[in-house]
Amino acid sequence: MSVEFARRFIKRGWKFIEKHKLLEENDRIFIAMSGGKDSLTTAYLLKSYVDEKNLDCELVAFHLNLNFEISKEIEEIVKKQTDEFGLKLVKVNIKDYGINLVEISEKLRRSICSVCGVVKRYLMNKVARENNATKLATGHNADDFLIFFFKNVSSGNYDLIAKFKPVLKSDNVKMVTRIRPLFEVGGEETKRFCDFMQFEYVKKPCPFFIKKIDVKRIEWEKEINRISQFEKNFKKKFMSAILKFSDCFKLEEPKNCKLCGEPTNKEICAFCRLKLFQNRISKS
Ligand code: AMP
Ligand code: ZN
């Protein structure tokens, strides 16, 4: 591990931010921070870029407390991370939205990861927009995109490739523009970077993920890392190829949910359907 690696890593991140115009003057960026290494690296790259370029751009960290046993500990780590970077932190607890992930997933017999995903996507967009964010930054990395790409394309789901962009805009004004600074960066690199910088981050995997292991995801991940061993810069090269493909596909623009008015492709959004279910089980 060398200072040279860290320097190159940061320079590469800044170049990516610049090339894809992730940050612009007068932006108010919400950075979704989970406590993990990827969103921490995202926050570091954005903050250091704004400071380096003296950009007039406001960065605000945002954390969603999922109300699990481990959540208090995670929230404290996120607080330390944002204090270290001098970022304001907006915290939201999903219980204030009447959601209990464990209960819903047990009663619906649906994996907690899929229920959690619905709630996170919904609240990240809603809270960012209600706080006047111009963009929402997430720590999705090249591994996440590559696994998603191979899983979906091999099951014939092509249209989703339209979402594979470092800057994802929508015609629906209620959808906050997404930015993904780690679009071409692998998970092993962010780990190496955070460890070198001696940053504190959540190392324990999600307790529910261990119980309900996504076997295909793990196999794809192994395969992608195996290819990366003999094909230099595989992840970066493949992601720039996917970015070119993504222009060939178009997703239907979301309309607004009949109940809550948030963006969705259905009449009633997935979050409202969970809430309706939660209300029903709470009464029974
Ligand atoms: P995941 O869906 O857990 O793979 O996380 C993908 C990205 O979503 C992370 O890199 C974060 O930017 C964001 N994220 C995940 N969980 C949270 C959370 N509890 N609070 C805020 N942002 C989150
Ligand atoms: Zn809704």
Side-chain angles (χ1 to χ4, degrees):
M1 171 52 51
S2 66
V3 179
E4 210 27 59
F5 160 78
R7 238 185 241 136
R8 255 186 289 126
F9 182 88
I10 297 168
K11 278 257 169 75
R12 203 177 117 203
W14 287 356
K15 220 167 133 190
F16 189 84
I17 293 172
E18 202 155 84
K19 179 174 173 195
H20 295 280
K21 299 192 175 62
L22 301 195
L23 299 179
E24 291 156 305
E25 293 279 344
N26 300 319
D27 258 339
R28 176 171 156 86
I29 313 275
F30 254 48
I31 310 171
M33 295 185 69
S34 62
K37 61 183 178 36
D38 298 317
S39 49
L40 177 60
T41 305
T42 301
Y44 179 88
L45 288 175
L46 294 176
K47 174 77 168 87
S48 59
Y49 183 86
V50 166
D51 290 349
E52 171 75 14
K53 305 283 171 186
N54 214 356
L55 207 65
D56 187 7
C57 172
E58 194 184 353
L59 301 176
V60 179
F62 163 53
H63 178 66
L64 204 52
N65 184 318
L66 300 170
N67 218 20
F68 297 143
E69 247 173 63
I70 193 179
S71 298
K72 186 91 206 76
E73 202 184 309
I74 294 179
E75 202 179 283
E76 276 162 21
I77 293 181
V78 174
K79 177 83 178 71
K80 278 191 206 156
Q81 295 173 340
T82 52
D83 282 351
E84 185 167 343
F85 294 173
L87 293 174
K88 182 184 159 205
L89 173 62
V90 171
K91 292 185 284 184
V92 166
N93 193 317
I94 62 163
K95 77 167 182 249
D96 298 333
Y97 288 84
I99 293 286
N100 181 330
L101 291 176
V102 178
E103 190 179 47
I104 296 182
S105 119
E106 275 172 8
K107 299 248 164 77
L108 259 184
R109 297 201 180 166
R110 196 168 142 185
S111 93
I112 200 153
C113 299
S114 94
V115 178
C116 182
V118 167
V119 173
K120 279 198 288 200
R121 278 191 296 276
Y122 180 90
L123 287 179
M124 279 202 263
N125 185 67
K126 183 177 163 69
V127 176
R129 193 191 64 243
E130 287 174 350
N131 281 276
N132 303 319
T134 54
K135 290 171 185 152
L136 172 68
T138 63
H140 289 103
N141 65 27
D143 298 349
D144 298 322
F145 289 110
L146 288 168
I147 294 165
F148 194 75
F149 176 83
F150 286 114
K151 273 179 79 173
N152 279 285
V153 171
S154 52
S155 47
N157 261 339
Y158 307 118
D159 291 353
L160 286 168
I161 303 173
K163 287 193 172 187
F164 284 64
K165 293 192 170 75
V167 181
L168 185 65
K169 291 185 180 147
S170 169
D171 289 343
N172 185 324
V173 290
K174 286 193 158 184
M175 274 308 271
V176 179
T177 297
R178 301 287 156 103
I179 56 171
R180 290 95 172 232
L182 305 181
F183 190 76
E184 291 181 351
V185 180
E188 75 291 351
E189 290 179 272
T190 56
K191 182 178 182 313
R192 213 171 139 197
F193 177 68
C194 289
D195 290 342
F196 175 75
M197 301 293 276
Q198 297 186 348
F199 288 152
E200 191 177 342
Y201 61 91
V202 178
K203 296 198 171 85
K204 287 182 210 158
C206 171
F208 296 100
F209 187 67
I210 305 170
K211 282 186 200 158
K212 180 109 181 72
I213 290 178
D214 184 344
V215 181
K216 278 199 183 167
R217 190 194 151 92
I218 290 171
E219 286 306 320
W220 276 118
E221 188 169 16
K222 270 197 230 157
E223 211 47 46
I224 289 161
N225 284 328
R226 195 184 67 80
I227 299 170
S228 305
Q229 309 241 306
F230 65 83
E231 189 66 55
K232 197 165 176 266
N233 291 330
F234 169 71
K235 292 180 186 179
K236 184 176 182 299
K237 287 190 286 189
F238 210 92
M239 284 311 295
S240 36
I242 295 180
L243 177 55
K244 292 209 171 87
F245 300 153
S246 77
D247 284 335
C248 308
F249 297 91
K250 198 156 169 46
L251 273 177
E252 204 186 310
E253 282 295 343
K255 45 193 179 235
N256 296 333
C257 170
K258 276 194 165 165
L259 294 181
C260 69
E262 290 298 312
T264 177
N265 291 321
K266 304 258 166 56
E267 292 294 295
I268 295 178
C269 76
F271 182 85
C272 282
R273 279 181 276 137
L274 288 182
K275 280 268 331 190
L276 288 172
F277 181 75
Q278 175 92 65
N279 292 345
R280 230 179 299 140
I281 54 179
S282 307
K283 275 186 206 143
S284 60

